């Protein structure tokens, strides 16, 4: 072969040795490697391959900022709705979801009104109008954290996650989804926004103790606490007057009272009867007469004593709840106590919060084990007995802050003693009720 015929090849070899040509070959190799090893993502909402280039451009910066504490990752959830205690559970579940995703929960909107179906009629209320924001983060430091939207540095850096629903969306699938979204490439987004249903309806992956930690960090706004102070003071004043009639020398702070979460309103009676049919059990609904009788049979209850009836006045159709009680029991509701107007100037949510605090502070609490309100009051009281008194026998006869379930029969037709099962692996029994309570 003549030398002249080899000139093109020789020219190519010389050019290949040049710096520019070497760079061109290196870029080609990188692009081929990326195309082969980094296919587009799909499933769980999906991330297109075009987004991967954006990740590579900012990846090193975001990771270094995140680990240095300069950069935070956030979780945004839908508006939290329904009753007070459904909202507390939904909030705690959102917190624990954020914890699992290694993110800060952006302060969610609660609902001041109660509409189960007309979602457009729900009145939003800011979390920090009900609970103390700074106090929450102080008490829950190192466990979960709540953030404000002003902390978000890039409002467009959001990935929208659609939560699954329906019978086919199992608890296992839900857990797999959460695990997936706690990792790369999803952890490169500053905010994950969860779309879909209210967090109360999300699958539950956490033990009661984790929920209890979040609940302990929820401290009422000072305005709510002051309103509860007024109601409790009125109850004790009434009790002091009755105790002095029998020669008692107690002071106001020593006067005990019983709080009964009296679920006999029309909405509850419809719900509980349907629930009894569906579950094929008969210990959910309680008549007014049964509640009165069982409360009067509580072993060791010293009389005279005031019985505060926590009831949803707007839904109550029975005007005779103050009559028929055992001698020595003095029933009071908002009107007789003179605090009806105090409640009515507030939204439904705040009214429930005041009643919750009044029940929580009572010396004896009696509720329904299928009521979320009652169940969370008992959980709070159980936790208080453990942390403040160090009580191990939560069902003893001389425990402080005892609780009872009037829908379940105890000894001598009294209400059954009730304490929350703090070792339960989920919140199912508290969220939806149970006739298997830990003191039973």
């Amino acid at each position: 072969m003549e030398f002249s015929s080899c000139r093109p090849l020789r020219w190519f070899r010389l050019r290949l040795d040049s710096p520019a040509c070497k760079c061109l070959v290196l870029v080609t190799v990188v692009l081929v490697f990326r195309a082969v090893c980094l296919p587009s993502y799909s499933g769980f909402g999906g991330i297109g391959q075009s987004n991967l280039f954006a990740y590579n451009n900012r990846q090193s910066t975001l990771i270094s900022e995140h680990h240095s504490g300069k950069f935070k990752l956030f979780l945004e959830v839908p508006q939290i709705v329904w009753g007070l205690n459904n909202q507390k559970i939904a909030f705690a579940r959102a917190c624990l979801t954020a914890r699992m995703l290694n993110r800060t929960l952006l302060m969610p909107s609660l609902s001041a009104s109660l509409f189960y179906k007309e979602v457009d009629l729900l009145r939003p209320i800011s979390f920090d109008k009900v609970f103390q924001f700074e106090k929450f983060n102080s008490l829950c430091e190192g466990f979960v954290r709540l953030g404000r939207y002003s902390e978000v540095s890039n409002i467009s850096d959001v990935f929208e996650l659609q939560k699954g629903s329906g019978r086919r969306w199992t608890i296992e699938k839900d857990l797999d989804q959460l695990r997936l979204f706690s990792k790369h490439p999803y952890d490169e987004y500053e905010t994950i926004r969860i779309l879909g249903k209210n967090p109360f309806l999300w699958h539950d992956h956490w033990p009661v103790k984790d929920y209890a930690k979040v609940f302990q960090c929820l401290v009422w706004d000072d305005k709510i606490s002051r309103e509860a102070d007024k109601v409790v003071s009125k109850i004790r004043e009434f009790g002091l007057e009755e105790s002095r009639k029998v020669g008692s020398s107690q002071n106001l702070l020593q006067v005990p009272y019983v709080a009964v979460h009296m679920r006999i309103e029309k909405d509850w009676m419809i719900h509980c009867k349907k629930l009894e049919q569906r579950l094929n059990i008969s210990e959910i609904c309680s008549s007014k007469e049964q509640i009165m009788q069982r409360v009067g049979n509580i072993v060791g209850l010293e009389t005279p004593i005031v019985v505060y009836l926590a009831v949803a006045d707007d839904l109550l159709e029975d005007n005779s709840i103050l009559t028929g009680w055992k001698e020595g029991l003095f029933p009071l509701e908002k009107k007789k106590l003179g605090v009806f107007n105090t409640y009515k100037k507030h939204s439904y949510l705040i009214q429930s919060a005041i009643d919750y605090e009044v029940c929580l502070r009572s010396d004896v609490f009696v509720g329904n084990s299928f009521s979320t309100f009652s169940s969370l009051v008992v959980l709070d009281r159980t936790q208080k007995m453990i942390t403040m008194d160090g009580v191990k026998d939560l069902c003893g006869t001389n425990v402080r802050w005892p609780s009872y379930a009037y829908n379940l029969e105890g000894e001598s037709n009294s209400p059954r003693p009730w304490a929350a099962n703090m070792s339960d692996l989920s919140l199912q029994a508290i969220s939806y009720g149970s006739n298997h309570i830990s003191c039973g």
Side-chain angles (χ1 to χ4, degrees):
M1 180 181 292
E2 294 183 359
F3 181 78
S4 59
S5 65
C6 295
R7 282 181 180 177
L9 181 61
R10 184 170 178 267
W11 180 88
F12 179 79
R13 188 178 73 251
L14 291 173
R15 297 298 184 274
L16 188 63
D17 291 336
S18 68
C21 191
K22 287 180 178 179
C23 289
L24 179 62
V25 171
L26 182 60
V27 169
T28 302
V29 170
V30 170
L31 291 175
V32 170
F33 177 82
R34 174 176 289 171
V36 172
C37 298
L38 296 176
S40 61
Y41 288 81
S42 61
F44 298 113
I47 294 181
Q49 189 169 350
S50 60
N51 287 332
L52 289 174
F53 291 94
Y55 286 140
N56 291 330
N57 289 336
R58 63 182 179 165
Q59 180 176 355
S60 59
T61 303
L62 293 184
I63 290 176
S64 62
E65 288 181 343
H66 179 52
H67 287 295
S68 66
K70 296 179 181 178
F71 181 78
K72 296 186 180 72
L73 300 177
F74 300 97
L75 179 71
E76 182 181 345
V77 301
Q79 180 181 354
I80 293 175
V81 299
W82 298 348
L84 169 69
N85 293 285
N86 297 99
Q87 292 190 52
K88 286 176 67 176
I89 290 172
F91 172 78
R93 193 159 291 157
C95 283
L96 295 172
T97 300
R99 172 181 164 84
M100 189 171 185
L101 296 175
N102 298 314
R103 291 176 175 270
T104 291
L105 178 67
L106 287 171
M107 186 171 66
S109 174
L110 305 179
S111 302
S113 54
L114 179 63
F115 288 91
Y116 289 99
K117 296 181 179 179
E118 298 88 347
V119 178
D120 57 317
L121 297 177
L122 289 169
R123 262 199 305 136
I125 183 172
S126 177
F127 173 90
D128 56 4
K129 298 295 183 183
V130 183
F131 301 103
Q132 296 183 35
F133 179 90
E134 299 297 340
K135 191 73 171 178
F136 178 86
N137 280 337
S138 174
L139 293 173
C140 263
E141 185 177 4
F143 187 64
V144 295
R145 183 180 180 276
L146 199 57
R148 297 185 185 275
Y149 279 84
S150 59
E151 297 177 39
V152 179
S153 60
N154 185 356
I155 60 174
S156 62
D157 187 16
V158 178
F159 181 86
E160 293 189 338
L161 167 60
Q162 180 69 48
K163 287 289 278 186
S165 60
R167 293 183 180 180
R168 293 186 178 181
W169 187 254
T170 63
I171 190 170
E172 292 79 15
K173 287 183 178 179
D174 191 76
L175 187 58
D176 287 343
Q177 185 190 55
L178 291 178
R179 286 171 175 162
L180 176 67
F181 277 84
S182 67
K183 302 174 183 177
H184 180 78
Y186 305 98
D187 59 359
E188 298 302 332
Y189 283 95
E190 185 175 2
T191 303
I192 289 180
R193 177 184 296 139
I194 296 184
L195 306 176
K197 53 193 177 182
N198 172 26
F200 180 83
L201 297 174
W202 294 355
H203 282 298
D204 183 6
H205 305 293
W206 301 276
V208 168
K209 287 183 179 179
D210 283 358
Y211 282 98
K213 285 182 182 179
V214 178
F215 294 143
Q216 279 190 303
C217 303
L218 291 171
V219 179
W220 300 116
D221 179 78
D222 286 338
K223 293 179 182 178
I224 296 175
S225 295
R226 286 195 292 269
E227 295 288 49
D229 290 342
K230 294 176 186 176
V231 177
V232 171
S233 181
K234 288 265 190 181
I235 293 172
R236 295 196 190 280
E237 285 173 6
F238 195 98
L240 183 63
E241 185 179 337
E242 293 300 326
S243 63
R244 283 176 175 171
K245 291 178 182 179
V246 294
S248 173
S249 58
Q250 292 175 317
N251 62 43
L252 187 63
L253 295 178
Q254 293 175 323
V255 176
Y257 71 94
V258 178
V260 179
H261 182 217
M262 203 167 188
R263 297 275 13 216
I264 58 171
E265 307 94 337
K266 58 184 178 182
D267 68 319
W268 170 259
M269 297 309 291
I270 293 171
H271 166 73
C272 74
K273 287 175 182 176
K274 289 181 178 179
L275 197 59
E276 284 186 338
Q277 291 176 353
R278 181 159 57 87
L279 300 179
N280 195 28
I281 58 178
S282 59
E283 294 182 311
I284 302 177
C285 301
S286 289
S287 66
K288 175 189 68 175
E289 291 74 21
Q290 184 185 69
I291 296 172
M292 291 177 176
Q293 186 179 41
R294 288 184 176 174
V295 171
N297 290 335
I298 293 176
V299 177
L301 187 63
E302 295 183 2
T303 57
I305 193 166
V306 169
V307 180
Y308 174 71
L309 306 179
V311 62
D313 305 84
D314 292 340
L315 300 172
L316 185 65
E317 294 182 324
D318 190 338
N319 295 321
S320 62
I321 60 171
L322 298 179
T323 60
W325 291 84
K326 185 177 179 179
E327 185 178 355
L329 302 182
F330 296 92
L332 296 173
E333 38 78 70
K334 298 174 184 66
K335 289 181 180 178
K336 186 173 181 180
L337 195 58
V339 296
F340 184 77
N341 291 332
T342 300
Y343 278 82
K344 282 304 169 184
K345 68 182 182 182
H346 296 293
S347 66
Y348 173 84
L349 186 71
I350 305 303
Q351 291 180 42
S352 298
I354 297 170
D355 252 1
Y356 185 94
E357 186 64 18
V358 172
C359 290
L360 182 62
R361 297 185 195 180
S362 65
D363 298 86
V364 178
F365 174 72
V366 193
N368 188 300
S369 68
F370 280 85
S371 162
T372 309
F373 182 104
S374 293
S375 296
L376 279 187
V377 169
V378 173
L379 174 62
D380 257 354
R381 291 169 69 88
T382 303
Q383 187 76 346
K384 190 161 67 169
M385 282 193 286
I386 294 171
T387 56
M388 294 182 67
D389 279 8
V391 175
K392 294 183 179 180
D393 182 10
L394 299 173
C395 304
T397 55
N398 296 315
V399 297
R400 194 177 179 189
W401 304 303
S403 301
Y404 300 87
Y406 56 66
N407 59 304
L408 302 175
E409 185 178 0
E411 294 182 8
S412 304
N413 196 28
S414 63
R416 189 177 300 174
W418 184 9
N421 182 2
M422 302 303 294
S423 62
D424 211 336
L425 297 179
S426 80
L427 205 70
Q428 176 75 20
I430 291 173
S431 299
Y432 296 102
S434 173
N435 57 357
H436 299 290
I437 58 178
S438 63
C439 287

